[in-house]
Amino acid sequence: MANKIYRKHNFHKHTFCIWKEVLHSEIADLKINYTSQSGSRYIFTEQGLYRISDHWGRVANCHWRLIPLAEFKSQHNIVAFAKWFDFYSNDDTSKLFFIKVDTETKAVNFYHKQSAEDQNCVFRNAKETAKTIRTLKEVLTETNWAKYLKYDDFEILRKKVVSELVNSDKSFLEIKKVYLV
């Protein structure tokens, strides 16, 4: 699949992007090129664009994730930068996303198919991805889900279940059935 080229006239139309927060000083001498109806401001450069905004995540018809310098707090203007090639096509029905989990930090994130180094990932649509992420967070932070399951070591069970959720299309119920008492 050929990558669509995104620029200032189309970056905001059904895209997925991971933005990286930068210091306000990085844009001190730059001129705002566009302000959206919701108040987000944009600065276009040859390499990409800066966005100054207090809202991230689901933005109109886009999924824009923020990698913050510090803990993100809504209603606080953040300056972030994305290169033009960081934008990917997005829609709610195509299987465009894969999930990565860091079991040590319990961090769960999703990425676009076109950024995958390994095309053997399990790709999901937006709704399936969100549901799987909610389940993964439950498995990583709670213990109730394993109440009626048989296991010797809870942490080994947790890692196996996380791996199955990320690397298969099996439902949480199907995965747990294997471990029923």
Side-chain angles (χ1 to χ4, degrees):
M1 167 191 329
N3 290 353
K4 184 173 181 177
I5 297 172
Y6 289 95
R7 294 287 183 253
K8 66 181 178 180
H9 297 294
N10 65 349
F11 74 93
H12 54 83
K13 296 177 181 172
H14 301 281
T15 58
F16 170 85
C17 184
I18 299 175
W19 297 75
K20 294 170 185 71
E21 183 180 1
V22 297
L23 298 173
H24 284 262
S25 60
E26 199 167 312
I27 62 165
D29 299 329
L30 300 177
K31 178 179 160 270
I32 303 293
N33 299 110
Y34 178 75
T35 301
S36 72
Q37 286 182 329
S38 64
S40 297
R41 293 166 290 159
Y42 297 88
I43 300 169
F44 305 119
T45 72
E46 193 64 37
Q47 293 77 31
L49 71 152
Y50 292 93
R51 179 173 191 253
I52 304 109
S53 185
D54 64 357
H55 56 282
W56 299 86
R58 186 70 185 221
V59 179
N61 55 35
C62 300
H63 287 137
W64 289 351
R65 199 168 82 228
L66 175 68
I67 297 177
L69 292 173
E71 191 62 35
F72 174 67
K73 291 171 183 55
S74 191
Q75 305 306 314
H76 175 70
N77 273 328
I78 300 285
V79 178
F81 182 78
K83 294 181 180 173
W84 293 119
F85 59 77
D86 290 335
F87 288 87
Y88 299 106
S89 65
N90 178 50
D91 68 63
D92 287 337
T93 57
S94 299
K95 293 187 177 210
L96 296 175
F97 306 105
F98 67 98
I99 299 170
K100 284 187 181 178
V101 176
D102 181 334
T103 53
E104 300 302 315
T105 63
K106 296 181 174 23
V108 181
N109 276 307
F110 66 102
Y111 301 88
H112 196 278
K113 181 179 192 170
Q114 288 177 294
S115 69
E117 294 168 9
D118 176 9
Q119 288 298 314
N120 292 326
C121 300
V122 173
F123 298 108
R124 297 172 172 86
N125 65 31
K127 187 176 179 180
E128 293 165 343
T129 300
K131 181 180 179 185
T132 304
I133 287 173
R134 278 191 303 276
T135 303
L136 283 161
K137 287 180 177 181
E138 176 187 348
V139 170
L140 288 165
T141 60
E142 306 291 327
T143 56
N144 318 14
W145 60 269
K147 191 173 184 179
Y148 300 105
L149 304 183
K150 182 178 180 177
Y151 55 88
D152 294 324
D153 183 315
F154 180 74
E155 289 306 318
I156 290 173
L157 172 68
R158 185 189 310 253
K159 285 182 180 177
K160 285 180 180 178
V161 171
V162 165
S163 179
E164 288 247 18
L165 285 166
V166 171
N167 299 307
S168 78
D169 282 325
K170 293 179 186 172
S171 72
F172 190 31
L173 188 57
E174 289 174 301
I175 293 167
K176 290 195 303 183
K177 277 184 180 177
V178 173
Y179 300 98
L180 281 175
V181 178

